[in-house]
Amino acid sequence: MAQLEITHHIKSKIKSDNPFCDGRFFQLLEESHSVGDETGWLPYHLKYQQDILPGYLKGHSYGEYIFDWAWADFYQRYRIPYYPKLIHAIPFTPVNAPKNLTQSADIFSELVAHSFENYQRTTQLSGEHYLFLTDDEAKIIESQGHKIMKSTQYHWQKKWDNFEHFLQSLKKGRRKMIKKERQKVKDSGIRIKTYRAHECLEIMPKVYELYLSTIAKKNSYAYLKEEFFQLLPKMMDESLLIFIAEYNSQDIAMSLFIDSEKALYGRYWGILAQYENEFPALHFEMCYYQGMDYCFKNDIPLFEAGAQGEHKLWRGFEPVEILSAHHLRIPELFKPICDYIDQQNQEVENRILELRKYLPYKS
């Protein structure tokens, strides 16, 4: 195999039908300084010719959506550092897209093997982690000795011709609830505007302001810089979809999506604080129902509306298994964590079976 190298920048665009897997999103994060020293996501990509396995050195576990804080606490009890660690993921992005920028499964297998060898040689790293894997990726990585862990998300699949047909598939109570939520938004005087591609340039300052409103409400940290939103329409143009809610001639809320032929990904939501309690149904309209409408109009089969949220279940999103893979360097600590993962995996499987009983669809 030709020479492999560690690179800290992704520059080339790789052909892919997934907007998260052609390099643009990684470039966007780097050029906007959303990853780097300041945010604790240090780019550490493994490159072979034009194929890249993205990676990051991390000194914390923020922005990952697969939670290992308890493992870090476990290490701390023995006064063993858990950080830095190596992760392969799309930063701040809990989507189920391939985490490699390659053209070939064979090349991916080789990159995984070489990454594992490199991690084993880099003794200051406590472990190597892959987040939000496809089934095929998980099998390849598991063969290297990583432990597969399961967690849960809620996805919606387009199985109907239009929104009305979707409603007719629901039990009466849930159908009534959704119709009532949508009607409340219509009756409120709110107008929802749609922006695509280059049309989004003019509204990005407002989108960033509304993004920050969500960060402030959650008392969280704004990993995504203002430059990220300024560059987003230019670098992700044909994949970018934004809905803006206008009320009394003021833009009060936004929802931002990335789309492809195979899936629509709900990414960011924000509303001015003074309107959140006044329009409680607006979140469901902007983040779920507008996305469903878009999938119907554009024949997109899958809608991933983001992490967590059992309220999605009542609105037709089905619980699905999410896969990640983990390897820790110290066998004496890795073994009990593997036992914990086995227990969690069984709990996730049982919970999904239980959650499916509460889906809103008719029998």
Side-chain angles (χ1 to χ4, degrees):
M1 189 172 184
Q3 183 66 38
L4 291 107
E5 61 176 301
I6 299 297
T7 179
H8 304 294
H9 303 284
I10 294 177
K11 297 179 180 179
S12 59
K13 182 175 178 181
I14 296 172
K15 186 177 180 181
S16 174
D17 59 4
N18 190 297
F20 291 106
C21 302
D22 62 12
R24 289 177 300 161
F25 192 74
F26 291 95
Q27 287 178 258
L28 173 58
L29 291 169
E30 292 174 10
E31 291 187 20
S32 65
H33 306 289
S34 296
V35 295
D37 290 328
E38 183 180 345
T39 58
W41 289 74
L42 301 179
Y44 193 79
H45 313 308
L46 185 64
K47 183 178 181 182
Y48 167 67
Q49 295 182 353
Q50 296 303 309
D51 298 303
I52 299 173
L53 177 63
Y56 295 88
L57 302 181
K58 301 262 333 265
H60 57 70
S61 294
Y62 292 107
E64 297 177 12
Y65 298 93
I66 300 294
F67 303 109
D68 63 354
W69 293 106
W71 305 355
D73 290 342
F74 180 54
Y75 269 60
Q76 183 63 32
R77 270 183 259 159
Y78 291 94
R79 298 185 178 182
I80 297 173
Y82 186 70
Y83 306 106
K85 62 179 182 177
L86 172 62
I87 76 164
H88 304 282
I90 304 173
F92 326 119
T93 308
V95 304
N96 297 277
K99 299 306 176 290
N100 62 94
L101 311 182
T102 70
Q103 300 301 306
S104 155
D106 292 335
I107 291 293
F108 176 64
S109 297
E110 292 191 57
L111 285 174
V112 167
H114 282 279
S115 179
F116 186 68
E117 292 172 5
N118 184 65
Y119 140 67
Q120 293 280 45
R121 290 194 300 267
T122 310
T123 56
Q124 69 267 33
L125 296 174
S126 71
E128 183 181 41
H129 310 263
Y130 291 80
L131 311 184
F132 295 93
L133 295 169
T134 66
D135 291 342
D136 290 340
E137 285 176 331
K139 292 175 184 175
I140 291 170
I141 297 164
E142 186 177 26
S143 69
Q144 295 292 326
H146 291 65
K147 184 71 173 178
I148 302 301
M149 186 169 75
K150 298 178 180 180
S151 52
T152 309
Q153 268 190 354
Y154 298 87
H155 296 174
W156 182 83
Q157 296 185 54
K158 186 183 74 65
K159 304 174 184 177
W160 310 270
D161 294 330
N162 54 52
F163 198 89
E164 184 58 36
H165 287 170
F166 161 67
L167 286 176
Q168 293 307 313
S169 73
L170 305 179
K171 297 172 184 176
K172 182 179 179 180
R174 293 305 179 196
R175 180 169 66 249
K176 183 177 180 181
M177 176 193 75
I178 292 174
K179 293 176 75 171
K180 185 177 180 180
E181 287 173 344
R182 301 207 77 174
Q183 193 61 46
K184 279 185 177 179
V185 173
K186 290 180 181 178
D187 293 343
S188 68
I190 289 174
R191 182 168 73 101
I192 296 178
K193 303 176 289 185
T194 304
Y195 295 82
R196 290 301 321 268
H198 64 277
E199 300 171 342
C200 300
L201 274 169
E202 63 186 82
I203 61 166
M204 295 317 289
K206 190 65 178 183
V207 168
Y208 180 62
E209 176 191 343
L210 292 166
Y211 162 75
L212 290 179
S213 73
T214 298
I215 299 297
K217 180 183 69 174
K218 295 181 177 179
N219 196 28
S220 187
Y221 179 80
Y223 289 109
L224 300 176
K225 309 301 181 185
E226 186 172 9
E227 291 84 357
F228 173 90
F229 291 92
Q230 292 171 346
L231 292 171
L232 185 59
K234 302 173 185 177
M235 298 186 70
M236 303 290 289
D237 49 7
E238 73 274 14
S239 301
L240 184 59
L241 168 68
I242 299 176
F243 296 111
I244 294 288
E246 179 186 270
Y247 179 68
N248 286 343
S249 301
Q250 181 185 16
D251 293 336
I252 67 166
M254 71 87 185
S255 55
L256 187 152
F257 301 79
I258 301 295
D259 80 343
S260 69
E261 292 183 0
K262 295 182 178 180
L264 176 68
Y265 302 98
R267 291 307 307 118
Y268 314 116
W269 148 259
I271 184 170
L272 295 178
Q274 62 267 37
Y275 293 106
E276 187 167 14
N277 292 331
E278 185 175 352
F279 303 119
L282 187 57
H283 173 264
F284 305 126
E285 178 65 33
M286 297 280 286
C287 296
Y288 306 153
Y289 307 142
Q290 288 291 323
M292 291 177 180
D293 282 341
Y294 186 83
C295 287
F296 284 125
K297 292 175 184 176
N298 294 276
D299 197 27
I300 298 175
L302 177 66
F303 178 17
E304 296 187 20
Q308 306 164 347
E310 291 184 8
H311 49 275
K312 295 184 178 84
L313 187 75
W314 302 338
R315 293 164 178 85
F317 289 79
E318 301 186 31
V320 297
E321 286 183 356
I322 301 301
L323 302 179
S324 57
H326 309 269
H327 188 280
L328 297 170
R329 181 184 303 278
I330 302 174
E332 293 81 4
L333 297 180
F334 190 29
K335 175 60 168 64
I337 287 176
C338 285
D339 293 340
Y340 165 82
I341 290 174
D342 285 335
Q343 179 181 343
Q344 172 169 311
N345 288 350
Q346 187 60 58
E347 290 174 356
V348 166
E349 291 173 12
N350 293 341
R351 180 164 178 75
I352 287 177
L353 289 174
E354 184 65 22
L355 287 169
R356 294 192 67 83
K357 297 177 183 178
Y358 298 94
L359 283 168
Y361 299 108
K362 297 174 183 176
S363 301

